[in-house]
Amino acid sequence: MTNINFKQLLQNKMVHKHFSEMRLGLEKESQRVTLDGALATTNHPQILGNRRYHPYIQTDFSESQTELITPVTSSSKEALNYLAAIQEVTLRSMPTNELLWPLSMPPVLPDDECQIKIAQLDNFEDVLYRRYLAKTYGKRKQMVSGIHYNFEFTHDFLENAFAMQNSYTNFENFRDDVYLKVASNYLRHRYLIVYLFGAAPLAENGYFKSSDAQPTDFVRSIRSSQYGYTNHQDVTYSFKSVKRYIDGIYDLVDRGILSEEKEFYAPVRLRGGKKVADLARFGVQYLEIRNIDLNPFETYAISEAQIEFLHLFLMLMLYLPDDLLDNDEKIAIGNQMNDAVALETPLSRLGYETEARELFAQLKEMLQTINANENTFNLVQTFKDLLNHPENTPAGKLTKQLESQTNTEIAVKLAKHYHQKAWKKSYQLAGFNDMALSTQIILFDAIQAGIEVEILDKNEQFIKLTFGKHIEYVKNANMTSQDSYIVPLIMANKTVTKKILAKHGFPVPAGREYGAINDALADFSYFEGKAIVIKPKSSNYGIGISIFKNGASLIAYQTALNIAFSEDSDIIIEPFITGTKYRFFVINGKTKAVLLRVPANVIGDGKRTISELVALKNQNSLRGLNHRAPLEKISLGKIEQLMLKAQGLTPDSLLSDGKVAYLRENSNISTGGDSIDVTDSMPDSYKQQAENAVKALGAMICGIDLIIPDKNVADNFSIIGANFNPAMYMHIYPFSGQGRRLTMDVLRLLFPELS
Amino acid sequence: MTNINFKQLLQNKMVHKHFSEMRLGLEKESQRVTLDGALATTNHPQILGNRRYHPYIQTDFSESQTELITPVTSSSKEALNYLAAIQEVTLRSMPTNELLWPLSMPPVLPDDECQIKIAQLDNFEDVLYRRYLAKTYGKRKQMVSGIHYNFEFTHDFLENAFAMQNSYTNFENFRDDVYLKVASNYLRHRYLIVYLFGAAPLAENGYFKSSDAQPTDFVRSIRSSQYGYTNHQDVTYSFKSVKRYIDGIYDLVDRGILSEEKEFYAPVRLRGGKKVADLARFGVQYLEIRNIDLNPFETYAISEAQIEFLHLFLMLMLYLPDDLLDNDEKIAIGNQMNDAVALETPLSRLGYETEARELFAQLKEMLQTINANENTFNLVQTFKDLLNHPENTPAGKLTKQLESQTNTEIAVKLAKHYHQKAWKKSYQLAGFNDMALSTQIILFDAIQAGIEVEILDKNEQFIKLTFGKHIEYVKNANMTSQDSYIVPLIMANKTVTKKILAKHGFPVPAGREYGAINDALADFSYFEGKAIVIKPKSSNYGIGISIFKNGASLIAYQTALNIAFSEDSDIIIEPFITGTKYRFFVINGKTKAVLLRVPANVIGDGKRTISELVALKNQNSLRGLNHRAPLEKISLGKIEQLMLKAQGLTPDSLLSDGKVAYLRENSNISTGGDSIDVTDSMPDSYKQQAENAVKALGAMICGIDLIIPDKNVADNFSIIGANFNPAMYMHIYPFSGQGRRLTMDVLRLLFPELS
């Protein structure tokens, strides 16, 4: 029993305002298995770097038991996004013939327990501890997996609530009691979470020894039951006060019942600093909710709705009026109810349905008090509906499926599905796929390498990377601290770029700059009959550019000037240079990739029409729409049909074998062009020219465009542009040729300590 | 006689096209004098750095004889701009009681030649050479000043002309002959330049020794006459070929008639590399025209029209058909004509008027051939008109004035006028005053310090600074290589800036960000009744910001959201913090300036109306319009009158003594606000906070805004913004308090070798 009347406190606007805020971190364990569902015997993937420092991807008890850890987030959505990304990185870092087992209960375990490999950690104490656990509980019990939900109210909320109440004079005491109330109420009412979320009806062969007591039928959650991953019966604890909680654990350790503090496996832990003793010093900082089973029907083992429902449920635990029981009395009742519900058969109705409906009623009242929106009411209703439909709970659904399939069949099928999903668009990163492609890729590489990632501004592609104490900020995947401020300003200004390159002896098209259309018109005679390019001075994406390979008529010249001036107040007219344009991607003085871009095209097979060939080519998973993929789908619009017409073709023409039909004149990837990596076939001499030019500009990361008439003839080229934020994804996932992981080059540039 | 029929070559379009192009550098000598016109006895100003390396400001023969040197430019206008800037820097670097003597002929020279101080150069050989000159020619002759006009055809022109002719197979021979033709024709016809430009009618006391032969009346140009600064009679030379030219000079040196090559004082020199011998190796690169008198009626001693006329005149020298005379025969005639015209009395008509009119006719024909525009014809006509009006030539005008004033009076009056002009808007820099103020100021400082400046892009304020081999590019005066690329991107994003500052423990207003107006509207109740600021996320200039000190009504809130969203796709709403806003300007970890901005205001004197007080305040030369001055003139428009009304005032109100009337609520300088330097009175603790915050952002140059309720109470502040391109001029030329030369701090940061 606490002294907090929270319903009353909620009357205050500021308390009310901050009540729904939270800080949340998730941990998810799961077993690596082979394609037929056997425990993987391989080591933790080396590409994930060392578990000594990896912030997101660890191993728990066994070498095969991955533990995914999200950073602290401030919403259900954000937490799930991180979990999604981290799991996707894990799946794509594992051998392709391994899966993540989607169930809390482990796969079939080897007869010989010795074949379960304890996690091979650097720290010998960590290994010793796991050996002790294996001895005390048996390795089998340690193989159970679940989700831990680390929950914190915001400081704004606690501070405002403290300011509004009269019972406490000390903030830390108040906060401790808030968390003690939530924790003990959660332990009291957690049977409902077991009913709604329980997903461990069955133990595979090998989990129980034949001599073990074990359930005789499917249950809601072996994991949450007495047969699960719990301390021995003699481990008791108190939530009456933080002091009693700490002393209780110390006592267990002193008496040798627990080997270490962290062996304390209550379904809820009070968390302060790293050690239990820190709780006494700092007070309770957050709660660790530990009784969440992996939901096999969710890609990431928990849905956003589940995360949000748990959040509301924890808010409710604070909202509930005090009754006459003290915390430990509540827990005692809660434990009994939990044990009973965990062992109910999954397709039966909840034994404590009346109590559950009362809780839902209280929850509704709370939602009304805080003016929750319709979505929230609907979400709660979805879970409430499960009271009428036990067959729709995860355990219920599994049980139904087990009527016709084996547990392993179900698990492997789901695991394969999630595995394929993770690989389907491997240029994207789940959780962040609303960000720009290159940013998604660098986030993937950073997470894989064990660099902490934080999204400072999603719309602006602004991220923070932290490795140990080393912080780097990155925008658009390659705008970094490594370049100096003046360099992108130079590259953004075509006139200045050309002046500097020319001064350093590089061939650049000699152009003229105009600030007024009349000045440019007055010079028409100067350009008449010449092959020219008319372009805005500062644009960087090919917009507003007109090319006249055979000179321009006065009218065409005038139109092109208008187009260019509509993009910029200054324009440039320069000679059009014939040859092939190559993009050299130079990082830290080295050419890391060379790319050729070819206009949208299809190659005939003598059987298909152009429409069919386009449709076929568009099936490539690298092709998408609106820059969500490394290549763009080819259209068959007006421009493309005109282009075909010029070649005497229509979309219905059958294209003879090996014949190429172009659908565009321009080679932009954004209009369906192909990206072709030619890094290896480009002579070194040109790479050196590109590197020297980039050096002259002072750039660390630069995409520089060279026009080369014949790359096998040396020293005949012209530099037509330098880009300070060059796209990387097209080099990483080219249409043909080898992909070049430029994002890793950027990371190595920023964090030389990585390699 | 050469083999180039240039009239015919001009038929070719490409030759035609490039004929008017040039490369041009100017040198201008002049004597430093006291306010009463006596030769200055002070040393060359120390602030101009060492003459060992100064690219623009040197001394010639004597310590008092400044020599201003422009870089090579490509137009008359550009050359004059540089000359203007360099002269203005020189004038503002000299003691305030010194002037630049505006005449070619020196001021009154001391009786004792020993009092003329030879330039105190580091290089002993340079000093020895000057000693030799003093001995050979007498110091007095060496004190004559003039303008050297270094002229070059463009490579495009020469190359195209070479390609079109048939007489030469070797490009260098062709080019040599082009320049030999121009040089010898110039020497042949230079009498016309002496007539049009001559401005040395009189020698002051002390120039001639009493025993010297000397003119008995005013003349067009003593300097260009036999009494001027010429070699002795036995110095003869040939322009028949480059070889003859070189051999001739070598011969003079060998025979001891000249001490060194550079003692060769022909009115035109062929120039190759540094030494005459380089001519043989590289051929003629350009011509040095040396017979231009200082025009005392022009601020910079030569007008743009004169520069352009000389350009046309030199083009004409190439255009003229060959006659039967060889180069040296032409020169012999030219010398005689020159000597005669130089000694004509200035108010008489030109003796060779018929020849001159023939030249003007040829010039007109040339202009027609090259389709010159109307302005060019008019310009030529202006000079042609001088044939009818000798009194309008510089020498003629001087002679007229000498009827009523002494030479010294005229010279001092003009010199003072140019001196005042240079100081009038000392925050601007002549020649570059169409650039942004801070850029003008940093150009001033760079030129003064002897750093080479090049304008890469005038509209974009993009400059190149070179000191020895060290190159720095600068945009907008403080966007430099010293900051890293990511830092301005951080500062341009208010959300990211706040996140980073908050993470480092700095107090920032806790705001919310919105990407859609409906989301922001939905949160109205959260902000209702609070003091808030609504602003676009990325704007940096106070645009789109609304402040509600007493909370906003829903309508006002809605309006403010619309305004903010019209500037950016994302907006921020944060608490309005009360206190005074200070701008801390931090460079390289040190607070270099702290500024307070006060809204437009006037202070009463009990006598004047507000209108009168505004007019009076607007007279301050620091106030201008449209950011052309460090402060803006105060308006008396609608907003100002409303503001007065709120104080019970109108523009006609008489304001009592000491009473302050505000004309604006906002403190922007751009709406007439006052800038007040408070660097010295700001406690160090706040400077340290600013420095630490800038360090947290990683910035080298940053203007960071702190709101401080009371600066004498420590540690109570909030950071409300950080600017990556903060205005510097307002700190350098504040309304009150000490100016802080931040541009010098930037230069020292870029060029630590300076100090």
Side-chain angles (χ1 to χ4, degrees), chain A residues 17 456-457 462 473 479-481 483-486 488-489 493 499-500 525-526 537 724, chain B residues 17 456-457 462 473 479-481 483-486 488-489 493 499-500 526 537 724:
Chain A
K17 234 165 225 182
L456 294 178
D457 191 329
F462 220 124
Y473 302 99
M479 299 156 95
T480 75
S481 68
D483 266 302
S484 103
Y485 186 8
I486 197 69
L489 297 172
N493 185 311
K499 279 188 184 171
I500 293 175
S525 67
Y526 182 86
K537 187 168 138 195
F724 56 92
Chain B
K17 235 167 227 183
L456 294 177
D457 191 329
F462 220 124
Y473 302 99
M479 298 156 94
T480 76
S481 68
D483 265 302
S484 103
Y485 186 9
I486 197 69
L489 298 172
N493 186 312
K499 278 187 184 170
I500 293 175
Y526 182 83
K537 186 168 139 196
F724 56 92

Short mmCIF file of all heavy atoms in Angstrom, two decimals, chain A residues 17 456-457 462 473 479-481 483-486 488-489 493 499-500 525-526 537 724, chain B residues 17 456-457 462 473 479-481 483-486 488-489 493 499-500 526 537 724:
data_model
loop_
_atom_site.label_atom_id
_atom_site.label_comp_id
_atom_site.label_asym_id
_atom_site.label_seq_id
_atom_site.Cartn_x
_atom_site.Cartn_y
_atom_site.Cartn_z
N LYS A 17 -0.61 15.70 -18.68
CA LYS A 17 0.09 15.88 -19.94
C LYS A 17 1.23 14.89 -20.15
O LYS A 17 1.46 14.40 -21.24
CB LYS A 17 0.70 17.29 -19.92
CG LYS A 17 0.34 18.12 -21.09
CD LYS A 17 0.68 19.59 -20.80
CE LYS A 17 -0.49 20.45 -21.24
NZ LYS A 17 -0.25 21.88 -21.05
N LEU A 456 18.93 11.80 -35.20
CA LEU A 456 18.72 13.14 -34.65
C LEU A 456 17.59 13.84 -35.38
O LEU A 456 16.85 14.63 -34.79
CB LEU A 456 20.00 13.98 -34.78
CG LEU A 456 21.19 13.49 -33.95
CD1 LEU A 456 22.40 14.37 -34.20
CD2 LEU A 456 20.84 13.47 -32.47
N ASP A 457 17.47 13.57 -36.66
CA ASP A 457 16.39 14.20 -37.44
C ASP A 457 16.12 13.30 -38.63
O ASP A 457 16.90 13.24 -39.56
CB ASP A 457 16.81 15.61 -37.88
CG ASP A 457 15.64 16.39 -38.45
OD1 ASP A 457 14.72 15.77 -39.03
OD2 ASP A 457 15.64 17.62 -38.31
N PHE A 462 19.67 13.04 -40.55
CA PHE A 462 20.74 13.49 -39.66
C PHE A 462 20.92 12.45 -38.57
O PHE A 462 20.01 12.23 -37.78
CB PHE A 462 20.36 14.84 -39.04
CG PHE A 462 21.50 15.80 -38.95
CD1 PHE A 462 21.40 17.06 -39.52
CD2 PHE A 462 22.66 15.46 -38.29
CE1 PHE A 462 22.46 17.96 -39.46
CE2 PHE A 462 23.71 16.34 -38.22
CZ PHE A 462 23.62 17.60 -38.81
N TYR A 473 28.78 12.99 -36.20
CA TYR A 473 27.47 13.33 -36.74
C TYR A 473 27.53 13.18 -38.26
O TYR A 473 28.53 13.56 -38.88
CB TYR A 473 27.09 14.76 -36.35
CG TYR A 473 27.06 14.97 -34.86
CD1 TYR A 473 28.13 15.56 -34.19
CD2 TYR A 473 25.96 14.54 -34.12
CE1 TYR A 473 28.11 15.73 -32.81
CE2 TYR A 473 25.93 14.71 -32.74
CZ TYR A 473 27.01 15.30 -32.09
OH TYR A 473 26.99 15.46 -30.73
N MET A 479 27.84 13.38 -45.54
CA MET A 479 28.24 14.73 -45.17
C MET A 479 28.74 14.63 -43.73
O MET A 479 27.95 14.38 -42.82
CB MET A 479 27.04 15.67 -45.30
CG MET A 479 26.53 15.72 -46.74
SD MET A 479 24.80 16.22 -46.89
CE MET A 479 24.97 17.97 -47.19
N THR A 480 30.04 14.78 -43.55
CA THR A 480 30.65 14.42 -42.27
C THR A 480 31.64 15.47 -41.78
O THR A 480 31.90 16.46 -42.45
CB THR A 480 31.43 13.09 -42.39
OG1 THR A 480 32.66 13.35 -43.11
CG2 THR A 480 30.64 12.03 -43.14
N SER A 481 32.19 15.18 -40.64
CA SER A 481 33.21 16.06 -40.05
C SER A 481 34.52 15.98 -40.82
O SER A 481 35.41 16.79 -40.62
CB SER A 481 33.47 15.65 -38.60
OG SER A 481 34.11 14.38 -38.57
N ASP A 483 35.10 16.36 -44.01
CA ASP A 483 35.30 17.39 -45.01
C ASP A 483 35.28 18.75 -44.33
O ASP A 483 34.64 18.94 -43.31
CB ASP A 483 34.24 17.30 -46.11
CG ASP A 483 34.72 16.48 -47.30
OD1 ASP A 483 35.76 16.87 -47.86
OD2 ASP A 483 34.08 15.47 -47.63
N SER A 484 35.99 19.68 -44.94
CA SER A 484 35.98 21.02 -44.36
C SER A 484 34.82 21.79 -44.96
O SER A 484 34.36 21.52 -46.06
CB SER A 484 37.31 21.71 -44.59
OG SER A 484 37.20 22.64 -45.62
N TYR A 485 34.36 22.75 -44.19
CA TYR A 485 33.16 23.53 -44.53
C TYR A 485 33.25 24.14 -45.92
O TYR A 485 32.28 24.17 -46.68
CB TYR A 485 33.06 24.63 -43.47
CG TYR A 485 31.84 25.50 -43.49
CD1 TYR A 485 30.74 25.25 -44.31
CD2 TYR A 485 31.78 26.60 -42.63
CE1 TYR A 485 29.64 26.08 -44.27
CE2 TYR A 485 30.68 27.42 -42.60
CZ TYR A 485 29.61 27.16 -43.42
OH TYR A 485 28.54 27.99 -43.38
N ILE A 486 34.42 24.60 -46.30
CA ILE A 486 34.52 25.35 -47.54
C ILE A 486 34.42 24.42 -48.76
O ILE A 486 34.00 24.86 -49.84
CB ILE A 486 35.83 26.18 -47.57
CG1 ILE A 486 35.76 27.27 -48.63
CG2 ILE A 486 37.04 25.31 -47.77
CD1 ILE A 486 34.77 28.37 -48.33
N PRO A 488 32.41 21.71 -49.66
CA PRO A 488 31.11 21.58 -50.34
C PRO A 488 30.64 22.90 -50.92
O PRO A 488 29.93 22.92 -51.93
CB PRO A 488 30.17 21.10 -49.23
CG PRO A 488 30.88 21.40 -47.94
CD PRO A 488 32.34 21.33 -48.25
N LEU A 489 31.02 24.01 -50.31
CA LEU A 489 30.63 25.31 -50.87
C LEU A 489 31.33 25.52 -52.21
O LEU A 489 30.74 26.06 -53.15
CB LEU A 489 31.01 26.44 -49.90
CG LEU A 489 30.31 26.41 -48.53
CD1 LEU A 489 30.89 27.45 -47.60
CD2 LEU A 489 28.82 26.62 -48.71
N ASN A 493 29.36 25.41 -56.22
CA ASN A 493 29.49 26.55 -57.13
C ASN A 493 30.32 26.12 -58.35
O ASN A 493 31.54 25.97 -58.27
CB ASN A 493 30.18 27.70 -56.37
CG ASN A 493 30.23 28.96 -57.18
OD1 ASN A 493 30.63 28.95 -58.34
ND2 ASN A 493 29.84 30.07 -56.58
N LYS A 499 37.20 27.08 -61.80
CA LYS A 499 38.38 27.94 -61.66
C LYS A 499 39.49 27.22 -60.90
O LYS A 499 40.66 27.29 -61.27
CB LYS A 499 38.00 29.24 -60.91
CG LYS A 499 37.35 30.28 -61.80
CD LYS A 499 37.18 31.60 -61.05
CE LYS A 499 36.44 32.61 -61.93
NZ LYS A 499 36.06 33.82 -61.19
N ILE A 500 39.11 26.56 -59.84
CA ILE A 500 40.14 25.88 -59.04
C ILE A 500 40.75 24.70 -59.81
O ILE A 500 41.97 24.53 -59.83
CB ILE A 500 39.55 25.42 -57.68
CG1 ILE A 500 39.20 26.66 -56.85
CG2 ILE A 500 40.51 24.51 -56.93
CD1 ILE A 500 38.50 26.36 -55.54
N SER A 525 25.69 34.75 -80.77
CA SER A 525 26.57 34.56 -81.93
C SER A 525 27.85 33.83 -81.53
O SER A 525 28.47 33.13 -82.32
CB SER A 525 26.90 35.90 -82.58
OG SER A 525 27.68 36.67 -81.69
N TYR A 526 28.26 34.04 -80.27
CA TYR A 526 29.48 33.39 -79.78
C TYR A 526 29.30 31.87 -79.73
O TYR A 526 30.24 31.11 -79.97
CB TYR A 526 29.84 33.94 -78.40
CG TYR A 526 31.10 33.38 -77.81
CD1 TYR A 526 32.34 33.93 -78.12
CD2 TYR A 526 31.07 32.29 -76.96
CE1 TYR A 526 33.50 33.42 -77.58
CE2 TYR A 526 32.24 31.76 -76.41
CZ TYR A 526 33.45 32.33 -76.73
OH TYR A 526 34.60 31.82 -76.20
N LYS A 537 23.77 27.49 -62.48
CA LYS A 537 25.10 27.47 -61.88
C LYS A 537 25.21 26.55 -60.68
O LYS A 537 26.21 25.87 -60.49
CB LYS A 537 25.49 28.89 -61.46
CG LYS A 537 26.92 29.01 -60.98
CD LYS A 537 27.28 30.47 -60.88
CE LYS A 537 28.06 30.75 -59.63
NZ LYS A 537 28.11 32.18 -59.34
N PHE A 724 29.37 17.09 -53.81
CA PHE A 724 29.76 17.02 -52.41
C PHE A 724 28.87 16.07 -51.62
O PHE A 724 29.15 15.79 -50.47
CB PHE A 724 29.74 18.42 -51.78
CG PHE A 724 28.43 19.11 -51.91
CD1 PHE A 724 27.47 19.00 -50.93
CD2 PHE A 724 28.18 19.90 -53.03
CE1 PHE A 724 26.26 19.64 -51.06
CE2 PHE A 724 26.96 20.53 -53.16
CZ PHE A 724 26.00 20.40 -52.17
N LYS B 17 36.33 37.45 -82.37
CA LYS B 17 35.70 37.24 -81.07
C LYS B 17 36.62 37.56 -79.90
O LYS B 17 36.21 38.12 -78.89
CB LYS B 17 35.31 35.75 -80.97
CG LYS B 17 33.88 35.52 -80.67
CD LYS B 17 33.54 34.06 -80.91
CE LYS B 17 32.25 33.97 -81.72
NZ LYS B 17 31.80 32.62 -81.94
N LEU B 456 36.57 34.87 -56.63
CA LEU B 456 36.20 33.73 -57.45
C LEU B 456 34.77 33.87 -57.94
O LEU B 456 34.43 33.44 -59.04
CB LEU B 456 36.34 32.43 -56.65
CG LEU B 456 37.77 32.07 -56.25
CD1 LEU B 456 37.77 30.80 -55.42
CD2 LEU B 456 38.66 31.89 -57.47
N ASP B 457 33.92 34.45 -57.12
CA ASP B 457 32.52 34.64 -57.51
C ASP B 457 31.99 35.81 -56.69
O ASP B 457 31.75 35.67 -55.49
CB ASP B 457 31.72 33.36 -57.25
CG ASP B 457 30.35 33.40 -57.87
OD1 ASP B 457 29.77 34.52 -57.98
OD2 ASP B 457 29.84 32.34 -58.27
N PHE B 462 32.54 34.71 -52.84
CA PHE B 462 33.49 33.60 -52.78
C PHE B 462 34.87 34.13 -53.13
O PHE B 462 35.10 34.60 -54.24
CB PHE B 462 33.09 32.53 -53.78
CG PHE B 462 33.25 31.13 -53.26
CD1 PHE B 462 32.18 30.25 -53.24
CD2 PHE B 462 34.48 30.71 -52.76
CE1 PHE B 462 32.32 28.96 -52.75
CE2 PHE B 462 34.63 29.42 -52.28
CZ PHE B 462 33.54 28.54 -52.27
N TYR B 473 40.25 29.28 -49.24
CA TYR B 473 39.04 29.76 -49.89
C TYR B 473 38.06 30.20 -48.80
O TYR B 473 37.95 29.54 -47.76
CB TYR B 473 38.42 28.66 -50.75
CG TYR B 473 39.36 28.15 -51.82
CD1 TYR B 473 40.09 26.98 -51.64
CD2 TYR B 473 39.55 28.87 -52.99
CE1 TYR B 473 40.97 26.52 -52.61
CE2 TYR B 473 40.44 28.42 -53.97
CZ TYR B 473 41.14 27.24 -53.77
OH TYR B 473 42.00 26.80 -54.73
N MET B 479 32.97 31.59 -43.80
CA MET B 479 32.76 30.16 -44.07
C MET B 479 34.09 29.67 -44.64
O MET B 479 34.47 30.05 -45.76
CB MET B 479 31.61 30.00 -45.05
CG MET B 479 30.29 30.53 -44.45
SD MET B 479 29.07 31.02 -45.69
CE MET B 479 28.10 29.51 -45.83
N THR B 480 34.80 28.87 -43.87
CA THR B 480 36.20 28.57 -44.21
C THR B 480 36.52 27.09 -44.08
O THR B 480 35.68 26.29 -43.67
CB THR B 480 37.15 29.33 -43.26
OG1 THR B 480 37.14 28.67 -41.98
CG2 THR B 480 36.74 30.78 -43.09
N SER B 481 37.76 26.79 -44.37
CA SER B 481 38.25 25.42 -44.24
C SER B 481 38.41 25.02 -42.78
O SER B 481 38.61 23.85 -42.47
CB SER B 481 39.61 25.29 -44.92
OG SER B 481 40.57 26.04 -44.20
N ASP B 483 36.25 25.17 -40.36
CA ASP B 483 35.14 24.44 -39.78
C ASP B 483 34.94 23.15 -40.55
O ASP B 483 35.24 23.07 -41.74
CB ASP B 483 33.87 25.30 -39.79
CG ASP B 483 33.67 26.01 -38.46
OD1 ASP B 483 33.60 25.29 -37.44
OD2 ASP B 483 33.62 27.25 -38.44
N SER B 484 34.40 22.16 -39.86
CA SER B 484 34.16 20.91 -40.56
C SER B 484 32.76 20.96 -41.17
O SER B 484 31.87 21.65 -40.69
CB SER B 484 34.34 19.73 -39.62
OG SER B 484 33.09 19.23 -39.23
N TYR B 485 32.60 20.21 -42.24
CA TYR B 485 31.38 20.20 -43.03
C TYR B 485 30.13 19.97 -42.19
O TYR B 485 29.09 20.60 -42.40
CB TYR B 485 31.55 19.10 -44.07
CG TYR B 485 30.49 18.96 -45.13
CD1 TYR B 485 29.49 19.90 -45.30
CD2 TYR B 485 30.51 17.87 -45.99
CE1 TYR B 485 28.54 19.75 -46.29
CE2 TYR B 485 29.58 17.72 -47.00
CZ TYR B 485 28.59 18.66 -47.13
OH TYR B 485 27.65 18.49 -48.11
N ILE B 486 30.24 19.09 -41.22
CA ILE B 486 29.03 18.71 -40.50
C ILE B 486 28.56 19.82 -39.55
O ILE B 486 27.38 19.91 -39.21
CB ILE B 486 29.26 17.37 -39.74
CG1 ILE B 486 27.92 16.73 -39.34
CG2 ILE B 486 30.14 17.56 -38.53
CD1 ILE B 486 27.12 16.21 -40.50
N PRO B 488 28.26 23.29 -39.75
CA PRO B 488 27.19 24.19 -40.19
C PRO B 488 25.88 23.46 -40.43
O PRO B 488 24.81 24.04 -40.26
CB PRO B 488 27.74 24.79 -41.49
CG PRO B 488 28.85 23.89 -41.90
CD PRO B 488 29.42 23.32 -40.65
N LEU B 489 25.97 22.19 -40.84
CA LEU B 489 24.74 21.42 -41.03
C LEU B 489 24.02 21.22 -39.70
O LEU B 489 22.80 21.27 -39.61
CB LEU B 489 25.06 20.07 -41.68
CG LEU B 489 25.69 20.14 -43.07
CD1 LEU B 489 26.15 18.76 -43.53
CD2 LEU B 489 24.72 20.73 -44.08
N ASN B 493 20.23 23.22 -38.41
CA ASN B 493 19.10 22.41 -37.98
C ASN B 493 18.86 22.66 -36.48
O ASN B 493 19.61 22.18 -35.64
CB ASN B 493 19.41 20.94 -38.26
CG ASN B 493 18.24 20.03 -37.98
OD1 ASN B 493 17.61 20.13 -36.92
ND2 ASN B 493 17.93 19.17 -38.92
N LYS B 499 19.40 19.27 -29.53
CA LYS B 499 19.66 17.93 -28.98
C LYS B 499 21.11 17.81 -28.51
O LYS B 499 21.40 17.26 -27.45
CB LYS B 499 19.38 16.86 -30.04
CG LYS B 499 17.90 16.49 -30.15
CD LYS B 499 17.70 15.30 -31.08
CE LYS B 499 16.21 15.01 -31.25
NZ LYS B 499 15.95 14.03 -32.30
N ILE B 500 22.03 18.32 -29.33
CA ILE B 500 23.44 18.19 -28.98
C ILE B 500 23.78 19.06 -27.77
O ILE B 500 24.45 18.62 -26.84
CB ILE B 500 24.33 18.54 -30.20
CG1 ILE B 500 24.14 17.48 -31.28
CG2 ILE B 500 25.81 18.66 -29.80
CD1 ILE B 500 24.87 17.77 -32.58
N TYR B 526 -1.72 22.24 -25.24
CA TYR B 526 -0.46 22.07 -24.52
C TYR B 526 0.25 23.41 -24.34
O TYR B 526 0.92 23.66 -23.34
CB TYR B 526 0.44 21.09 -25.31
CG TYR B 526 1.76 20.79 -24.66
CD1 TYR B 526 1.85 19.82 -23.67
CD2 TYR B 526 2.91 21.49 -25.03
CE1 TYR B 526 3.06 19.54 -23.06
CE2 TYR B 526 4.12 21.22 -24.42
CZ TYR B 526 4.20 20.24 -23.44
OH TYR B 526 5.39 19.98 -22.84
N LYS B 537 11.95 25.66 -38.74
CA LYS B 537 13.06 24.90 -38.17
C LYS B 537 14.42 25.33 -38.69
O LYS B 537 15.39 25.38 -37.93
CB LYS B 537 12.84 23.42 -38.49
CG LYS B 537 13.84 22.50 -37.84
CD LYS B 537 13.38 21.08 -37.96
CE LYS B 537 14.52 20.16 -38.30
NZ LYS B 537 14.03 18.88 -38.78
N PHE B 724 26.04 29.64 -38.07
CA PHE B 724 27.26 29.18 -38.72
C PHE B 724 27.84 30.23 -39.66
O PHE B 724 28.93 30.07 -40.16
CB PHE B 724 27.00 27.87 -39.47
CG PHE B 724 25.90 27.96 -40.48
CD1 PHE B 724 26.17 28.28 -41.80
CD2 PHE B 724 24.60 27.73 -40.10
CE1 PHE B 724 25.16 28.37 -42.73
CE2 PHE B 724 23.58 27.82 -41.03
CZ PHE B 724 23.86 28.14 -42.34
#
